[in-house]
Amino acid sequence: MDLLVGSGILTQFTSIQLFSPVALPLYSLGAAGPLIGACVVNKRSLNNVDFRRYIKNIFNLKQPIFAYVSMIGLAWGVCFFPVLVGATQQQAPIYTALFQLPVMIFFGGGLEEAGWRGYLLPQLQRKFSSFIATCLVAFIWTFWHLPLWLVKGSGQDTIRFGGYMVMVFSFAFLLSFLWNKYGSIALCILLHAGFNSFTNVYPPSYNNLVNSTILLIICCTFFMATNYVLKKNAGEKTMTAPKG
């Protein structure tokens, strides 16, 4: 976070631009904070086998086809919602999101998921319900981004914090669904990057709190329904598992 603040100071009080050779490395390292933090903590707390399994999960793209269909559908659907309700219009061809995806993985927040969903969410779900754990992650995730309101050109510097928080909670419920369903850090990285990629096609309406709240209700309802089904299926598997 200190690095994000540093890049904010540079862009606010000097003529240095965000994507300059000076500010961009600070911004990128700061954005990688959750990934770095999770790796450091896991390296200290896990044995070598489990730590290698954690690292492999970050890069493991061998997932069911339906998992990728779900990931793409969620990323597209949540970003298309403002267009559906007439709050914004499509600004670029849909294939633009595909070209943006690699950038969003490495520089647009995708790698944060190694920390948020890959570490923090499962730790919290050991102590709290999935709903409460998701809300706690969303709250931390939102305020971790707070320094970006100081960074000119980050995108956050032009939107209301309250509207952004509502949108983050919406995303968090969908990411929790994906994690609880597949346990894949790689899929969460792609979904996070997909959200950000599709916002270049369908500009989000962060400042429209009514539409953002409706989207939050939809995402929360989807999460609660699917979480109920996942728990029910897990319970049935436990009951039907052979004993002895």
Side-chain angles (χ1 to χ4, degrees), residues 153-166:
S154 65
Q156 278 84 352
D157 59 322
T158 61
I159 60 179
R160 295 177 182 174
F161 182 76
Y164 180 81
M165 175 179 279
V166 173

Side-chain angles (χ1 to χ4, degrees), residues 61 63-78 101 174-175 177-178 182 186-195 198:
L61 297 176
Q63 304 295 335
I65 293 177
F66 188 73
Y68 284 101
V69 173
S70 300
M71 181 270 297
I72 295 170
L74 292 174
W76 176 83
V78 75
L101 190 62
L174 300 183
L175 283 158
F177 154 74
L178 200 67
Y182 298 105
L187 283 175
C188 290
I189 289 173
L190 290 174
L191 180 55
H192 188 147
F195 288 149
F198 276 116

